Coordinates of all heavy atoms in Angstrom, one line a residue:
M92 N 147.0 24.9 128.8 CA 147.2 24.1 127.6 C 146.1 23.1 127.5 O 145.6 22.5 128.5 CB 148.6 23.5 127.6 CG 148.9 22.7 126.3 SD 150.5 22.0 126.4 CE 151.1 22.6 124.8
Q93 N 145.7 22.7 126.2 CA 144.8 21.7 126.0 C 145.4 20.6 125.1 O 146.3 20.8 124.4 CB 143.5 22.3 125.3 CG 142.7 23.2 126.1 CD 141.5 23.6 125.4 OE1 141.5 23.8 124.2 NE2 140.4 23.7 126.2
L94 N 144.8 19.4 125.2 CA 145.2 18.3 124.4 C 145.3 18.6 122.9 O 146.2 18.2 122.2 CB 144.4 17.1 124.7 CG 144.7 15.8 124.0 CD1 146.1 15.3 124.5 CD2 143.7 14.7 124.2
S95 N 144.3 19.3 122.4 CA 144.3 19.7 121.0 C 145.5 20.5 120.5 O 145.8 20.6 119.4 CB 143.0 20.3 120.6 OG 142.9 21.5 121.3
E96 N 146.2 21.2 121.5 CA 147.3 22.0 121.1 C 148.6 21.3 121.1 O 149.7 21.8 120.8 CB 147.4 23.2 122.1 CG 146.2 24.1 122.2 CD 146.2 25.0 123.3 OE1 147.1 25.0 124.1 OE2 145.2 25.8 123.4
M97 N 148.6 20.0 121.5 CA 149.8 19.2 121.7 C 150.2 18.6 120.3 O 149.3 18.3 119.5 CB 149.7 18.2 122.8 CG 149.6 18.8 124.1 SD 149.4 17.5 125.4 CE 151.1 16.8 125.3
A98 N 151.5 18.3 120.1 CA 152.0 17.6 119.0 C 152.4 16.2 119.3 O 152.7 15.9 120.5 CB 153.1 18.4 118.4
V99 N 152.6 15.3 118.4 CA 153.0 14.0 118.6 C 154.4 14.0 119.2 O 155.3 14.8 118.8 CB 153.1 13.2 117.3 CG1 153.7 11.8 117.5 CG2 151.7 13.0 116.7
G100 N 154.6 13.2 120.3 CA 155.9 13.2 121.0 C 155.9 14.1 122.2 O 156.8 13.9 123.0
E101 N 155.0 15.0 122.3 CA 155.0 15.9 123.5 C 154.5 15.2 124.7 O 153.6 14.3 124.7 CB 154.1 17.1 123.3 CG 154.8 18.2 122.4 CD 154.0 19.5 122.5 OE1 153.0 19.6 121.7 OE2 154.3 20.4 123.3
T102 N 155.0 15.5 125.9 CA 154.6 15.0 127.2 C 154.0 16.1 128.0 O 154.5 17.2 128.0 CB 155.8 14.4 127.9 OG1 156.3 13.3 127.1 CG2 155.5 13.8 129.2
A103 N 153.0 15.7 128.8 CA 152.3 16.7 129.7 C 151.9 15.9 130.9 O 151.9 14.7 131.0 CB 151.2 17.3 129.0
R104 N 151.5 16.7 131.9 CA 151.0 16.2 133.2 C 149.5 16.7 133.4 O 149.3 17.9 133.2 CB 151.9 16.6 134.3 CG 151.5 15.9 135.6 CD 152.6 16.2 136.7 NE 153.9 15.7 136.3 CZ 154.4 14.5 136.5 NH1 153.6 13.7 137.2 NH2 155.6 14.1 136.2
I105 N 148.7 15.8 133.8 CA 147.3 16.2 134.1 C 147.2 17.0 135.4 O 147.7 16.6 136.4 CB 146.4 15.0 134.2 CG1 146.4 14.2 132.9 CG2 144.9 15.4 134.5 CD1 145.8 12.8 133.0
R106 N 146.6 18.2 135.2 CA 146.5 19.1 136.4 C 145.1 19.0 137.0 O 144.9 19.2 138.2 CB 146.7 20.6 135.9 CG 146.7 21.6 137.0 CD 147.1 23.0 136.6 NE 146.8 23.2 135.2 CZ 146.1 24.3 134.8 NH1 145.6 25.1 135.6 NH2 145.8 24.4 133.5
G107 N 144.1 18.7 136.2 CA 142.7 18.6 136.7 C 141.8 18.5 135.5 O 142.2 18.1 134.4
F108 N 140.6 19.0 135.8 CA 139.5 18.9 134.8 C 138.8 20.2 134.6 O 138.7 20.9 135.6 CB 138.5 17.8 135.1 CG 139.1 16.4 135.3 CD1 139.5 16.0 136.5 CD2 139.3 15.6 134.2 CE1 140.1 14.7 136.7 CE2 139.9 14.4 134.3 CZ 140.3 13.9 135.6
T109 N 138.2 20.5 133.5 CA 137.4 21.6 133.3 C 136.1 21.4 133.9 O 135.7 20.3 134.2 CB 137.2 22.0 131.8 OG1 136.6 20.8 131.2 CG2 138.5 22.3 131.1
D110 N 135.3 22.4 134.1 CA 133.9 22.3 134.6 C 133.1 21.6 133.5 O 133.2 21.9 132.3 CB 133.3 23.6 134.9 CG 134.0 24.3 136.0 OD1 134.6 23.6 136.9 OD2 134.0 25.6 136.1
G111 N 132.4 20.6 133.9 CA 131.6 19.9 133.0 C 130.8 18.7 133.6 O 130.6 18.7 134.9
S112 N 130.5 17.8 132.8 CA 129.7 16.6 133.3 C 130.5 15.8 134.3 O 131.6 15.4 134.1 CB 129.3 15.7 132.1 OG 128.9 14.5 132.6
R113 N 129.9 15.5 135.5 CA 130.6 14.7 136.5 C 130.7 13.3 136.0 O 131.7 12.6 136.3 CB 129.8 14.7 137.8 CG 130.0 15.9 138.6 CD 129.3 15.8 139.9 NE 129.9 16.8 140.8 CZ 129.9 16.7 142.1 NH1 129.3 15.7 142.7 NH2 130.5 17.6 142.8
A114 N 129.7 12.8 135.2 CA 129.7 11.4 134.7 C 130.9 11.2 133.8 O 131.6 10.2 133.8 CB 128.4 11.1 134.0
Y115 N 131.2 12.2 132.9 CA 132.3 12.1 132.0 C 133.6 12.2 132.7 O 134.5 11.5 132.4 CB 132.2 13.2 130.9 CG 133.3 12.9 129.8 CD1 133.2 11.8 129.0 CD2 134.4 13.7 129.7 CE1 134.2 11.5 128.1 CE2 135.4 13.5 128.8 CZ 135.3 12.4 128.0 OH 136.3 12.1 127.2
R116 N 133.7 13.0 133.7 CA 134.9 13.2 134.5 C 135.2 11.8 135.2 O 136.3 11.4 135.3 CB 134.7 14.2 135.6 CG 136.0 14.5 136.3 CD 135.8 15.6 137.3 NE 135.0 16.8 136.8 CZ 134.5 17.8 137.5 NH1 134.7 17.8 138.8 NH2 133.9 18.7 136.9
A117 N 134.2 11.1 135.7 CA 134.3 9.8 136.3 C 134.9 8.8 135.3 O 135.7 8.0 135.7 CB 133.0 9.4 136.9
K118 N 134.4 8.9 134.1 CA 135.0 8.0 133.0 C 136.4 8.2 132.8 O 137.2 7.3 132.7 CB 134.2 8.2 131.7 CG 132.8 7.6 131.7 CD 132.2 7.8 130.4 CE 130.8 7.2 130.4 NZ 130.1 7.3 129.1
L119 N 136.8 9.5 132.7 CA 138.3 9.8 132.5 C 139.1 9.3 133.7 O 140.2 8.8 133.5 CB 138.4 11.3 132.3 CG 137.9 11.9 131.0 CD1 138.0 13.4 131.1 CD2 138.6 11.4 129.8
L120 N 138.6 9.5 134.9 CA 139.3 9.0 136.1 C 139.4 7.5 136.0 O 140.5 6.9 136.4 CB 138.6 9.5 137.4 CG 138.7 10.9 137.7 CD1 137.7 11.3 138.8 CD2 140.1 11.3 138.1
A121 N 138.4 6.8 135.6 CA 138.4 5.3 135.6 C 139.4 4.8 134.5 O 139.9 3.7 134.7 CB 137.0 4.8 135.2
M122 N 139.7 5.6 133.5 CA 140.6 5.3 132.5 C 142.1 5.6 132.9 O 143.0 5.4 132.1 CB 140.3 6.0 131.2 CG 139.1 5.5 130.5 SD 138.8 6.1 128.9 CE 138.0 7.7 129.2
G123 N 142.2 6.1 134.1 CA 143.6 6.3 134.6 C 144.1 7.8 134.4 O 145.2 8.1 134.7
L124 N 143.2 8.6 134.0 CA 143.6 10.0 133.7 C 143.3 10.8 135.0 O 142.4 11.6 135.1 CB 142.8 10.6 132.6 CG 143.1 9.9 131.2 CD1 142.1 10.4 130.2 CD2 144.5 10.2 130.8
T125 N 144.2 10.6 136.0 CA 144.0 11.3 137.3 C 145.0 12.4 137.4 O 146.1 12.4 136.8 CB 144.3 10.3 138.4 OG1 145.6 9.7 138.3 CG2 143.2 9.2 138.4
P126 N 144.7 13.4 138.2 CA 145.6 14.6 138.4 C 147.0 14.1 138.8 O 147.1 13.2 139.7 CB 144.9 15.4 139.5 CG 143.5 15.1 139.3 CD 143.4 13.6 138.9
G127 N 148.0 14.7 138.2 CA 149.4 14.4 138.5 C 150.0 13.3 137.6 O 151.2 13.1 137.7
T128 N 149.2 12.7 136.8 CA 149.6 11.6 135.9 C 150.2 12.2 134.6 O 149.6 13.0 133.9 CB 148.5 10.7 135.6 OG1 147.9 10.2 136.8 CG2 148.9 9.5 134.7
P129 N 151.5 11.8 134.3 CA 152.1 12.2 133.0 C 151.5 11.3 131.9 O 151.2 10.2 132.1 CB 153.6 12.0 133.2 CG 153.6 10.9 134.2 CD 152.4 11.0 135.1
F130 N 151.5 11.9 130.7 CA 151.1 11.2 129.5 C 151.9 11.7 128.3 O 152.4 12.9 128.3 CB 149.6 11.2 129.3 CG 149.1 12.5 128.9 CD1 149.0 12.9 127.6 CD2 148.7 13.4 129.9 CE1 148.5 14.2 127.2 CE2 148.2 14.7 129.5 CZ 148.1 15.1 128.2
T131 N 151.9 11.0 127.2 CA 152.6 11.4 126.0 C 151.7 11.2 124.8 O 151.0 10.1 124.7 CB 153.9 10.5 125.8 OG1 154.7 10.6 126.9 CG2 154.6 11.0 124.5
V132 N 151.6 12.1 123.9 CA 150.8 12.0 122.7 C 151.7 11.1 121.8 O 152.8 11.4 121.4 CB 150.6 13.4 122.0 CG1 149.9 13.2 120.7 CG2 149.8 14.2 123.0
T133 N 151.1 9.9 121.4 CA 151.9 9.0 120.5 C 151.4 9.0 119.1 O 152.3 8.8 118.2 CB 151.7 7.6 121.1 OG1 150.3 7.2 121.2 CG2 152.4 7.4 122.4
R134 N 150.2 9.2 118.8 CA 149.7 9.3 117.4 C 148.5 10.2 117.3 O 147.8 10.5 118.3 CB 149.3 7.9 117.0 CG 150.4 6.9 116.8 CD 150.0 5.7 116.0 NE 149.0 4.9 116.7 CZ 148.5 3.8 116.2 NH1 148.9 3.4 115.0 NH2 147.5 3.2 116.8
M135 N 148.3 10.7 116.1 CA 147.2 11.5 115.8 C 146.7 11.1 114.4 O 147.4 10.9 113.5 CB 147.7 13.0 115.8 CG 146.6 14.0 115.9 SD 147.2 15.7 116.1 CE 148.0 15.5 117.7
A136 N 145.4 11.0 114.3 CA 144.7 10.7 113.0 C 145.0 11.8 112.0 O 145.3 12.9 112.4 CB 143.2 10.5 113.2
P137 N 145.0 11.5 110.7 CA 145.3 12.4 109.7 C 144.5 13.7 109.8 O 145.0 14.8 109.5 CB 145.0 11.7 108.4 CG 145.1 10.3 108.7 CD 144.7 10.1 110.1
M138 N 143.3 13.7 110.2 CA 142.5 14.9 110.4 C 142.5 15.4 111.8 O 141.8 16.4 112.1 CB 141.0 14.6 110.0 CG 140.8 14.2 108.5 SD 141.3 15.5 107.4 CE 140.0 16.6 107.6
G139 N 143.4 14.8 112.6 CA 143.6 15.3 114.0 C 142.7 14.8 115.0 O 142.8 15.1 116.2
D140 N 141.8 13.8 114.7 CA 140.8 13.3 115.6 C 140.6 11.9 115.3 O 140.1 11.6 114.2 CB 139.6 14.2 115.5 CG 138.7 14.0 116.8 OD1 139.2 13.7 117.8 OD2 137.5 14.3 116.6
P141 N 140.8 10.9 116.1 CA 141.2 11.0 117.5 C 142.7 11.2 117.8 O 143.5 11.1 116.8 CB 140.7 9.7 118.2 CG 140.8 8.7 117.0 CD 140.5 9.5 115.8
V142 N 143.0 11.3 119.0 CA 144.4 11.4 119.4 C 144.7 10.2 120.3 O 143.9 9.9 121.2 CB 144.6 12.8 120.2 CG1 146.1 12.8 120.7 CG2 144.3 13.9 119.3
E143 N 145.9 9.6 120.1 CA 146.3 8.5 121.0 C 147.3 9.0 122.0 O 148.3 9.6 121.6 CB 146.8 7.3 120.1 CG 147.2 6.1 121.0 CD 147.8 5.0 120.2 OE1 147.1 4.2 119.6 OE2 149.1 5.0 120.1
V144 N 147.1 8.7 123.2 CA 148.1 9.0 124.3 C 148.5 7.8 125.0 O 147.8 6.8 125.0 CB 147.5 10.0 125.3 CG1 147.1 11.3 124.6 CG2 146.3 9.5 126.0
R145 N 149.7 7.8 125.5 CA 150.3 6.7 126.3 C 150.2 7.2 127.7 O 150.9 8.2 128.1 CB 151.7 6.3 125.9 CG 152.2 5.2 126.7 CD 153.1 4.2 126.1 NE 152.6 3.6 124.9 CZ 152.0 2.4 124.9 NH1 151.7 1.8 126.0 NH2 151.6 1.8 123.8
V146 N 149.5 6.5 128.6 CA 149.3 6.9 130.0 C 149.3 5.6 130.8 O 148.7 4.6 130.4 CB 148.0 7.7 130.2 CG1 146.8 6.9 129.8 CG2 147.9 8.1 131.6
R147 N 150.1 5.6 131.8 CA 150.2 4.4 132.8 C 150.5 3.1 132.0 O 150.1 2.1 132.4 CB 149.0 4.3 133.6 CG 148.7 5.5 134.5 CD 147.5 5.2 135.3 NE 147.1 6.4 136.1 CZ 147.5 6.6 137.3 NH1 148.3 5.7 137.9 NH2 147.2 7.7 138.0
G148 N 151.3 3.2 130.9 CA 151.8 2.0 130.2 C 150.8 1.4 129.2 O 151.0 0.4 128.7
F149 N 149.7 2.1 128.9 CA 148.8 1.6 127.9 C 148.4 2.8 127.0 O 148.6 4.0 127.3 CB 147.5 1.0 128.5 CG 146.6 1.9 129.2 CD1 145.5 2.5 128.5 CD2 146.8 2.2 130.5 CE1 144.7 3.3 129.2 CE2 145.9 3.0 131.2 CZ 144.9 3.6 130.5
A150 N 147.9 2.4 125.8 CA 147.5 3.4 124.8 C 146.0 3.7 124.9 O 145.2 2.8 125.1 CB 147.8 2.9 123.4
L151 N 145.7 4.9 124.9 CA 144.3 5.4 125.0 C 144.0 6.4 123.9 O 144.7 7.3 123.7 CB 144.1 6.0 126.4 CG 142.7 6.6 126.7 CD1 141.7 5.5 126.8 CD2 142.8 7.3 128.1
S152 N 142.9 6.2 123.2 CA 142.5 7.1 122.2 C 141.3 8.0 122.7 O 140.4 7.4 123.2 CB 142.0 6.4 120.9 OG 143.2 5.7 120.3
L153 N 141.4 9.2 122.4 CA 140.4 10.2 122.9 C 140.1 11.1 121.7 O 141.0 11.5 120.9 CB 140.9 11.1 124.0 CG 141.2 10.4 125.3 CD1 142.0 11.4 126.2 CD2 140.0 10.0 126.0
R154 N 138.8 11.5 121.6 CA 138.5 12.6 120.7 C 139.0 13.9 121.2 O 139.1 14.0 122.4 CB 136.9 12.6 120.6 CG 136.3 11.4 120.0 CD 135.9 11.7 118.6 NE 135.4 10.5 117.9 CZ 135.8 10.1 116.8 NH1 136.8 10.7 116.1 NH2 135.3 9.0 116.2
R155 N 139.3 14.8 120.4 CA 139.9 16.1 120.8 C 138.9 16.8 121.8 O 139.4 17.3 122.8 CB 140.2 17.0 119.7 CG 141.4 16.6 118.9 CD 141.7 17.6 117.8 NE 143.0 17.3 117.3 CZ 143.9 18.2 117.1 NH1 143.7 19.5 117.3 NH2 145.1 17.9 116.6
K156 N 137.7 16.8 121.5 CA 136.7 17.4 122.4 C 136.7 16.8 123.8 O 136.6 17.5 124.8 CB 135.3 17.3 121.8 CG 134.2 18.0 122.6 CD 132.9 17.9 121.9 CE 131.8 18.6 122.8 NZ 130.5 18.5 122.2
E157 N 136.8 15.4 123.8 CA 136.9 14.7 125.1 C 138.1 15.1 125.8 O 138.1 15.3 127.0 CB 136.8 13.2 124.9 CG 135.5 12.8 124.3 CD 135.5 11.3 123.8 OE1 136.6 10.7 123.7 OE2 134.4 10.8 123.6
G158 N 139.2 15.1 125.1 CA 140.5 15.4 125.7 C 140.7 16.8 126.2 O 141.4 17.1 127.1
N159 N 139.9 17.7 125.6 CA 139.9 19.1 126.1 C 139.3 19.3 127.4 O 139.3 20.4 128.0 CB 139.4 20.0 125.0 CG 140.4 20.2 123.8 OD1 141.5 19.9 124.0 ND2 139.8 20.6 122.7
A160 N 138.6 18.3 128.0 CA 138.1 18.3 129.3 C 139.2 18.3 130.4 O 139.0 18.5 131.5 CB 137.1 17.2 129.5
L161 N 140.4 17.9 129.9 CA 141.6 17.8 130.8 C 142.3 19.2 130.9 O 142.5 19.8 129.8 CB 142.6 16.8 130.3 CG 142.1 15.3 130.2 CD1 143.1 14.5 129.5 CD2 141.9 14.8 131.6
L162 N 142.7 19.5 132.1 CA 143.6 20.7 132.2 C 145.0 20.1 132.4 O 145.2 19.2 133.2 CB 143.3 21.5 133.5 CG 141.9 22.1 133.5 CD1 141.6 22.7 134.9 CD2 141.8 23.2 132.5
I163 N 145.9 20.5 131.5 CA 147.2 19.9 131.5 C 148.3 21.0 131.5 O 148.1 22.1 131.2 CB 147.4 19.0 130.2 CG1 147.2 19.8 128.9 CG2 146.5 17.8 130.3 CD1 147.5 19.0 127.7
D164 N 149.5 20.5 132.0 CA 150.7 21.4 132.1 C 151.7 20.7 131.2 O 152.0 19.5 131.4 CB 151.2 21.5 133.5 CG 150.3 22.3 134.4 OD1 149.8 23.3 133.9 OD2 150.2 22.0 135.6
S165 N 152.3 21.4 130.3 CA 153.3 20.9 129.4 C 154.6 20.6 130.2 O 154.9 21.4 131.1 CB 153.6 21.9 128.3 OG 154.6 21.4 127.4
E166 N 155.3 19.5 129.9 CA 156.5 19.2 130.6 C 157.7 19.5 129.7 O 157.6 19.1 128.5 CB 156.5 17.7 131.0 CG 155.6 17.4 132.1 CD 155.8 16.1 132.7 OE1 156.5 15.2 132.2 OE2 155.1 15.8 133.7
Q167 N 158.7 20.2 130.2 CA 159.9 20.5 129.4 C 160.8 19.3 129.4 O 161.0 18.6 130.4 CB 160.6 21.7 130.0 CG 159.7 22.9 130.0 CD 159.2 23.4 128.7 OE1 160.0 23.3 127.7 NE2 158.0 23.9 128.6
R168 N 161.4 19.0 128.3 CA 162.4 17.9 128.2 C 163.8 18.4 128.4 O 164.1 19.4 128.0 CB 162.2 17.2 126.9 CG 160.9 16.4 126.8 CD 160.9 15.5 125.6 NE 159.7 14.8 125.6 CZ 159.5 13.6 125.3 NH1 160.5 12.9 124.9 NH2 158.3 13.0 125.3

């Protein structure tokens, strides 16, 4: 599953990262998006970009393309 496929209110857990730039992966890790971390999609812009997620108690906005660098597992409620 990718971040762009999620709807507002959905919760998921970060499984890892797609192959790509190590520098960008380091930025995501520095923002707290580490494997095993749960997050919730809290808001989405009218055109769908950017997406706001709540992770580790703070709000973080990501462009869909940036968020798709995350490998995520949907969590069932």
Side-chain angles (χ1 to χ4, degrees):
M92 177 179 234
Q93 293 187 320
L94 181 64
S95 61
E96 298 170 0
M97 294 181 66
V99 174
E101 280 190 276
T102 299
R104 186 171 300 271
I105 299 168
R106 184 171 32 125
F108 302 95
T109 61
D110 294 334
S112 168
R113 283 187 160 201
Y115 187 66
R116 188 179 314 169
K118 286 181 181 183
L119 292 173
L120 289 166
M122 289 188 278
L124 298 171
T125 57
T128 304
F130 68 92
T131 304
V132 175
T133 53
R134 291 195 299 180
M135 197 171 293
M138 297 299 287
D140 199 24
V142 176
E143 181 181 276
V144 298
R145 179 147 304 270
V146 59
R147 297 183 185 267
F149 68 93
L151 176 65
S152 292
L153 295 170
R154 296 253 176 233
R155 282 183 173 226
K156 182 178 177 182
E157 296 169 345
N159 286 341
L161 297 170
L162 296 175
I163 58 176
D164 289 324
S165 180
E166 292 190 350
Q167 302 298 324
R168 291 191 178 218

